[in-house]
């Protein structure tokens, strides 16, 4: 009985000293210098990514999800009749811009899934361009609300700023990729 106990003691000791918390943590080390490190850690903490490429894909998926939710919200808001004319115009423009962001982020995810050694730089350029365009759309959306006050403005600002933060972090993680 003693040899079995000793074996399990050694096995348990080895197992507990080599847990992921003692190994370099991909998410923690990757998010450490992101534009919004706390947001990065929070949104990617449940990711099962084991490589930088998988982590960048996970970040883009988070961005797509958040942008899609913001797009749905804006579409609903656009249909509400109680908005004034200026507000309606800003919501309509923003809805279009966020919808474009979703499309650009989806193209980025597709590109990241198909990275190849021979076309890596070209594909990375595409991905970076599309994510940058998505960020520009998000920023432009918020510009449309600068002269509008009230609940709609604060709600849109909160949702779109959230999308912009995760998108910015995704761009950072894409920029860290150095090979397919």
């Amino acid at each position: 009985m003693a040899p079995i106990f000793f074996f399990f003691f050694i096995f348990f000791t080895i197992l507990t000293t080599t847990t992921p918390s003692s190994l370099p943590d991909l998410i923690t080390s990757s998010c450490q210098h992101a534009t919004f490190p706390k947001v990065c850690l929070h949104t990617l903490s449940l990711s099962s990514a084991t490589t930088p490429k998988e982590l960048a894909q996970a970040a883009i998926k988070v961005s797509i999800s958040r942008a899609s939710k913001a797009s749905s919200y804006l579409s609903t808001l656009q249909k509400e009749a109680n908005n004034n004319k200026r507000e309606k115009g800003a919501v309509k423009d923003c809805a279009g811009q966020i919808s474009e962001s979703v499309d650009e982020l989806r193209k980025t995810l597709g590109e990241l899934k198909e990275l190849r050694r021979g076309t890596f730089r070209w594909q990375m350029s595409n991905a970076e361009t599309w994510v940058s365009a998505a960020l520009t759309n998000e920023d432009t959306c918020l510009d449309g609300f600068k002269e509008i006050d009230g609940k709609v403005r604060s709600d849109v600002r909160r949702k779109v700023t959230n999308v912009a933060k995760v998108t910015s972090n995704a761009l950072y993680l894409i920029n860290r990729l150095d090979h397919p």
Side-chain angles (χ1 to χ4, degrees), residues 36 43 52 80 109 144 147 166 177:
F36 303 97
T43 58
E80 291 182 0
L109 182 59
E147 296 183 24
V166 295
L177 299 178

Side-chain angles (χ1 to χ4, degrees), residues 54-70:
E54 290 174 357
L55 191 59
Q57 289 175 6
I60 287 293
K61 288 176 184 176
V62 168
S63 191
I64 290 168
S65 173
R66 300 273 173 103
S68 294
K69 288 176 185 172

